[in-house]
Amino acid sequence: MSSMFPADVFDPKRRDFLLAGAGAVTAMAIFPELSVARSLQGADTLNIALVGCGRQGRAIIGELQKIENVKIVAVCDTDESRANGAARRVEGAEVFTDHKAMLDKRKDIAAVVVATPTHLHRQPVVDCLGAGKHVYCEAPMAHTIEDAKAIAAAASAAGKLVTAIGYEGRSNPVYQLARTFFRSDAVRDVIACSAHQYQKTTWRFAGSDARREADANWRLNPELSLGLPGEWGSHQFDVAHWYLDELPAVVRGGGAVRFHADGRTIADTVHAELVFKDGVRMQYDASLCTSYLGRAETFRGINATIRLAWSHGWMFKEADAPTQGWEVYANRQQFHNDEGITLIAGATKLAEQGKLKEGVGLPHPSLYYSLWDFAEACAKGKAPTVSAAAALKTTAVAIAAAEACAKGTEIKIDPSIAGSKPS
Amino acid sequence: MAPGCQSDLSTLPPAGGHDAPLLHATMAMGTRFEIALPRWQASQPRLQSVAEVVMDDIRHWHEVLSGFAPDSWLNHLHRAAVGRAGPVRADRAVFDLLARCEAARVASGGCFDIAVGHLMARHGLRSSASEAIADQTVGDPPADLPADLPRERWITLDPDRLTVLLAPGVRLDFGAVAKGFALDMARSTLADLGIASCLLHGGTSSVLALGSPTPPGSAAPRAAGWAVTLGGPGGRRLLLHNASLSVSAPSGRTAGSAHHIMDPRLGRPADRPPALAATVADSGLQAEIWSTVAIVSQGRHPATPVGVLVAVADAPGDSPHNRHHPRDIHPPPVPGHVLRWRADNDPLTWVDEP
């Protein structure tokens, strides 16, 4: 064998990976497409209504406004001042305080985005699907398994109507790109995974009067809220389900009020362990008492570790992992003693042009891609990225995690869910 | 960023005391925003949640207006211009901000212009790592802004559709006004939440002062307003009451010999800028606009609106003064309150006189 060629060039497995790598490079070169806001070319204008005009509703309006063929025609909130506030931000949106009245009056609505508090998802989702509207529902889908099943059943009964659930990781281009590496030999056998989210906040929202304040602070009510494992953790659990292509069988957890001793009973700091088959475990930590490290998910394999941080992603290779062809273009960032290869859509092109200085984030917030996927599914009759059936499983895991953390115990996931595929 | 002012919290009860104001801070717009909320207004949990809501608002506007964040609305607008993708829809508040900036451009004779992002890039003032990253997501630096394209056609605002269209090659920079605008938005939120007293500042150069540190009716000396000191210790002391303060200085961000405050009329950094310009106005946006104008015009702009008070310091360490009214001015009323500059007193004070 000629010494001019590295031995692994002649290794069929290696060649296969190079081909896979070439595919990955293609996937990385999607930046120009991502950069410009997408439009639903060839589609009629999609009339959308927003139900729930709180802070997440504000973010949703901002991202929907970027999608060319989408028009927000109505906004609805039981709090009229909040609905009026949302309507002021959009040209031509009609205000409602009752979603049923909105559905009765505005027959031109094609799709509805439901961004009410989690415990108030069920009724508008079921009613909107019943009225023949496509629905995007924020995640987690519900705070009880009964509500989650009711939403999944309504989605199933709605036939070809799109019911999408807002687990944004699956629409996030960085996460999609990283998954192509994760599913290849670049990472190989998964050893363990972890996720954390830290943000220093009371999670308490001021309202203009006592009733509004009580309504706004549903997250602190254990009867209505899944707490950190549900409101935050379920998004990260869903990423793990999607990457590992399986659901955990068992979840253990614990939590406490470590700092915000303001009479709340819901934990401000939690930890959980999700146990998958073959012993792979996901460690989860979240806290409202510190912000250091923010949010990230980590997947460790024997060849590399992938770290995802919402708008950014990196791969940390083991020294003995095979060198891959595309690495010539790779941008790297130093993290103390470790060097991460940035997983960037379009990195190859930028690197060739000598423009890549360090990690480039997404050109839009993750929410944008999730809403765009929904709009495209509605316009083109495609399946949603995250169906209600898939979200039911993640929601079930989140409910179990919330219970485990609240009770400091171990919960077995319903075998009918644990034994199934995540999507 | 040069230090703008120092909130004189030494006049307040000591931190940690039961009547010390609640303090809360966040990082946004490349600086630290801090709010002080006197405790006589509400319970600790409510004040804490008010502070968090306000800071959440400020971070939101950062995410919309930042030239540093690739995923900001501003860079979405820039990408649309580069890609000739047509008009971009705007949040009504942002649309109004742009409309007010355009009006201020006309009123200031071009001394203030929001469309200076491409000028800053040309002078190497968009070279930080995060800006370079954001620019990568926007596309190649614009070179196709026709020299003969009238300024009126650089930004097209459609009030019926709430859309914005930039001419290819034009880039906006909200750096001069974003903090003041965010303070105005925060003021609205604070009013909704029934908060009448707070000091909120962004990086000490943009300040919103509501009420005073003491409860209404108090006879304490600090009942007249919030004390801030221009330029830090030893500088002029101001009392602010229901007013916004903006301090601009060319000494903050530089690239070689170029400072960051553009003279849009010349297409380059302002010539012979004063060391510092401070303005007090009813709105944070107005204060920011006219402090920038004061730097560009060396404090000599004749058309400063009623109710906007301007002082400049020619050299570091100088006391800020007003070139047009070296002794005393009594501007006519502005809605809601009268601001009076008492130049005969030392220190200068602006006080609210309803």
Side-chain angles (χ1 to χ4, degrees):
Chain A
M1 185 178 294
S2 167
S3 59
M4 291 174 67
F5 300 101
D8 61 6
V9 166
F10 297 96
D11 177 346
K13 206 171 170 186
R14 168 76 178 139
R15 272 209 318 269
D16 287 347
F17 178 71
L18 285 172
L19 291 173
V25 170
T26 303
M28 290 169 77
I30 55 177
F31 198 84
E33 180 194 333
L34 288 173
S35 296
V36 177
R38 305 166 179 184
S39 71
L40 302 169
Q41 285 182 340
D44 293 335
T45 297
L46 185 70
N47 287 344
I48 286 189
L50 172 67
V51 176
C53 302
R55 285 170 183 269
Q56 184 65 6
R58 175 173 71 179
I60 287 167
I61 287 174
E63 299 313 316
L64 285 175
Q65 293 275 68
K66 292 180 184 172
I67 304 174
E68 199 174 319
N69 290 18
V70 163
K71 181 170 174 57
I72 301 171
V73 297
V75 294
C76 177
D77 197 296
T78 53
D79 184 330
E80 188 171 10
S81 68
R82 220 163 34 201
N84 283 329
R88 273 197 299 274
R89 304 178 57 231
V90 181
E91 187 273 318
E94 188 172 356
V95 173
F96 294 90
T97 55
D98 176 357
H99 69 270
K100 289 182 179 173
M102 179 185 80
L103 294 170
D104 286 343
K105 184 176 179 192
R106 292 300 297 255
K107 302 298 182 190
D108 59 333
I109 292 170
V112 180
V113 175
V114 175
T116 55
T118 302
H119 65 285
L120 299 175
H121 283 169
R122 176 179 174 173
Q123 202 58 51
V125 170
V126 170
D127 290 343
C128 291
L129 288 170
K133 314 301 181 191
H134 304 295
V135 172
Y136 177 99
C137 175
E138 273 296 331
M141 191 159 73
H143 73 308
T144 65
I145 198 68
E146 292 75 23
D147 279 11
K149 285 180 175 174
I151 289 173
S156 176
K160 291 187 175 177
L161 287 175
V162 175
T163 309
I165 310 301
Y167 284 118
E168 297 169 19
R170 299 200 200 197
S171 293
N172 183 318
V174 168
Y175 282 47
Q176 291 172 342
L177 173 64
R179 189 169 176 264
T180 64
F181 288 94
F182 182 77
R183 308 286 290 181
S184 75
D185 271 2
V187 173
R188 283 281 298 274
D189 309 335
V190 180
I191 301 304
C193 51
S194 61
H196 62 254
Q197 187 162 4
Y198 303 113
Q199 187 181 341
K200 193 173 182 183
T201 171
T202 60
W203 238 16
R204 185 181 287 283
F205 293 87
S208 54
D209 59 42
R211 184 187 61 79
R212 287 193 175 100
E213 190 150 315
D215 288 349
N217 288 308
W218 58 272
R219 287 178 189 79
L220 302 180
N221 182 346
E223 298 298 314
L224 306 178
S225 168
L226 295 175
L228 288 167
E231 290 302 317
W232 287 0
S234 71
H235 290 269
Q236 297 178 293
F237 302 160
D238 190 65
V239 171
H241 302 164
W242 179 45
Y243 268 52
L244 300 173
D245 197 28
E246 64 177 291
L247 290 140
V250 171
V251 57
R252 305 184 184 98
V257 177
R258 299 282 301 151
F259 176 57
H260 298 298
D262 54 5
R264 73 184 63 193
T265 57
I266 207 154
D268 62 19
T269 302
V270 300
H271 64 274
E273 182 180 57
L274 283 65
V275 183
F276 295 84
K277 76 177 181 188
D278 299 334
V280 172
R281 287 154 201 261
M282 178 187 198
Q283 301 294 335
Y284 173 71
D285 287 281
S287 179
L288 301 173
C289 312
T290 172
S291 58
Y292 178 60
L293 289 179
R295 171 194 164 150
E297 300 89 37
T298 303
F299 295 88
R300 290 177 181 275
I302 60 167
N303 276 349
T305 292
I306 283 180
R307 181 180 173 85
L308 302 168
W310 218 222
S311 56
H312 293 70
W314 303 268
M315 184 161 67
F316 299 86
K317 290 188 63 186
E318 296 293 333
D320 61 353
T323 301
Q324 298 162 7
W326 52 266
E327 287 183 26
V328 67
Y329 296 123
N331 179 59
R332 291 172 166 81
Q333 270 184 282
Q334 197 70 27
F335 291 82
H336 190 46
N337 289 329
D338 298 304
E339 187 179 72
I341 296 173
T342 48
L343 301 175
I344 305 162
T348 308
K349 183 180 173 189
L350 293 169
E352 283 172 336
Q353 296 168 350
K355 293 179 177 176
L356 200 55
K357 294 181 180 173
E358 58 179 67
V360 177
L362 283 173
H364 299 286
S366 188
L367 175 62
Y368 166 86
Y369 300 101
S370 196
L371 291 168
W372 195 92
D373 279 355
F374 170 63
E376 185 189 45
C378 296
K380 299 185 177 175
K382 293 172 63 174
T385 303
V386 184
S387 69
L392 170 62
K393 297 172 183 176
T394 293
T395 303
V397 172
I399 290 168
E403 184 181 351
C405 289
K407 295 178 178 173
T409 188
E410 174 180 303
I411 305 285
K412 286 192 168 57
I413 307 294
D414 178 345
S416 68
I417 289 173
S420 67
K421 289 288 184 186
S423 56
Chain B
M1 179 184 303
C5 67
Q6 189 168 79
S7 25
D8 193 359
L9 297 179
S10 63
T11 61
L12 297 174
H18 74 279
D19 54 350
L22 182 142
L23 298 176
H24 184 68
T26 196
M27 297 302 295
M29 301 183 181
T31 192
R32 180 172 179 269
F33 278 79
E34 182 179 40
I35 189 168
L37 287 158
R39 292 182 190 272
W40 50 263
Q41 300 179 99
S43 66
Q44 151 87 18
R46 177 163 174 81
L47 289 179
Q48 182 67 37
S49 60
V50 165
E52 290 183 7
V53 166
V54 166
M55 294 307 181
D56 187 52
D57 274 357
I58 286 168
R59 286 192 299 270
H60 168 74
W61 293 116
H62 163 82
E63 288 161 8
V64 172
L65 301 176
S66 172
F68 297 75
D71 57 359
S72 68
W73 175 86
L74 174 61
N75 279 323
H76 167 64
L77 177 68
H78 288 154
R79 282 190 291 273
V82 170
R84 292 174 166 79
V88 166
R89 287 181 285 197
D91 183 299
R92 189 180 300 275
V94 175
F95 186 91
D96 290 346
L97 166 64
L98 282 167
R100 290 176 68 187
C101 287
E102 283 295 86
R105 176 181 61 80
V106 174
S108 68
C111 289
F112 170 81
D113 197 334
I114 201 72
V116 291
H118 51 288
L119 295 180
M120 297 181 74
R122 194 177 302 159
H123 287 88
L125 288 156
R126 283 190 60 81
S127 56
S128 72
S130 52
E131 285 168 318
I133 290 165
D135 287 346
Q136 287 167 23
T137 74
V138 169
D140 290 333
D144 53 356
L145 175 61
D148 58 350
L149 185 69
R151 172 60 186 82
E152 290 70 26
R153 291 174 56 192
W154 288 13
I155 305 174
T156 306
L157 300 175
D158 183 339
D160 295 326
R161 293 184 172 83
L162 290 185
T163 60
V164 185
L165 177 66
L166 294 188
V170 173
R171 291 204 186 165
L172 309 185
D173 188 290
F174 287 102
V177 295
K179 293 200 295 292
F181 170 75
L183 295 185
D184 286 346
M185 296 292 104
R187 185 175 189 169
S188 173
T189 299
L190 288 161
D192 287 346
L193 297 175
I195 297 297
S197 170
C198 82
L199 184 77
L200 171 61
H201 73 84
T204 73
S205 63
S206 306
V207 181
L208 167 67
L210 293 181
S212 75
T214 59
S218 168
R222 51 198 173 86
W226 292 88
V228 299
T229 306
L230 281 183
R236 294 275 187 171
R237 189 160 169 266
L238 313 176
L239 278 174
L240 299 173
H241 187 274
N242 291 344
S244 295
L245 166 72
S246 169
V247 181
S248 292
S251 57
R253 194 170 173 204
T254 58
S257 60
H259 65 82
H260 71 287
I261 300 180
M262 295 288 117
D263 184 337
R265 302 166 303 178
L266 304 175
R268 62 172 190 259
D271 287 340
R272 298 185 303 281
L276 175 150
T279 55
V280 174
D282 187 43
S283 100
L285 177 62
Q286 284 284 80
E288 301 268 61
I289 287 169
W290 291 98
S291 67
T292 302
V293 171
I295 291 286
V296 171
S297 67
Q298 300 167 341
R300 292 188 170 85
H301 200 280
T304 304
V306 166
V308 177
L309 306 178
V310 179
V312 296
D314 290 314
D318 283 2
S319 287
H321 60 281
N322 184 287
R323 295 196 200 284
H324 297 292
H325 304 282
R327 290 295 301 167
D328 189 51
I329 58 169
H330 297 271
V334 294
H337 65 278
V338 178
L339 288 165
R340 172 182 286 184
W341 168 314
R342 292 205 195 103
D344 53 336
N345 291 340
D346 192 10
L348 295 173
T349 57
W350 283 285
V351 297
D352 185 23
E353 295 191 345

